[in-house]
Amino acid sequence: MQRDAETANEGQWSTVAAAATPWIAMAARPSRPSQAAAAGAAPVPAPRPDWCPDSDTRDHVIARRNVLAGLWAGGLLGLEGPDLARYAAGMHRADFEVPGDADIVAALLRDLGRAGVQTTEGLVRQRLAAFHRQALVQTLCTD
């Protein structure tokens, strides 16, 4: 039976949203001394300038994006549990082959095509962009 990647059930991502709950709790914490004082909490020290270099942040966002893409594609492939987790981790590793997104897009298109899931490169890139935005939110970063 062929499934269409564009019309796949989005409800399956409630587990992904549940995994983001600790991040939401962290976001609710006051991060500036003035906010902490207003909330009656002890002030939070300012982060060191070397705490989170831009390249590390970018790499974490891209890694999270690739895992989210792997979870999406794995769901379309009918994977569950440990198999789905292994597939998502494999998508993360697939991005180390060549610079840019070409390797992850090719891997997703190859795997979805083999399983008979109708999709296009444009749709895969559109989903990657959506997962990138989601990864930014989940890692509390801005673009």
Side-chain angles (χ1 to χ4, degrees), residues 8-135:
N9 181 3
E10 293 294 324
Q12 65 186 346
W13 301 112
S14 60
T15 55
V16 173
T21 304
W23 292 105
I24 295 168
M26 287 175 58
R29 260 191 321 216
S31 60
R32 295 191 178 117
S34 59
Q35 289 175 331
V44 177
R48 296 186 329 257
D50 64 340
W51 174 75
C52 189
D54 287 343
S55 62
D56 287 348
T57 301
R58 184 176 45 253
D59 292 346
H60 285 103
V61 171
I62 290 171
R64 181 66 184 155
R65 178 206 65 185
N66 294 342
V67 169
L68 291 170
L71 291 171
W72 167 70
L76 292 174
L77 297 172
L79 301 175
E80 296 178 350
D83 293 332
L84 179 59
R86 268 191 297 281
Y87 183 79
M91 280 299 114
H92 168 63
R93 287 188 299 277
D95 195 31
F96 296 125
E97 293 173 15
V98 296
D101 296 335
D103 47 0
I104 189 94
V105 170
L108 290 168
L109 286 171
R110 180 192 65 232
D111 294 347
L112 292 172
R114 285 182 184 164
V117 178
Q118 296 177 351
T119 191
T120 63
E121 181 178 346
L123 175 63
V124 169
R125 288 190 180 280
Q126 181 182 24
R127 296 300 298 179
L128 276 179
F131 292 134
H132 189 89
R133 288 188 298 274
Q134 187 176 354

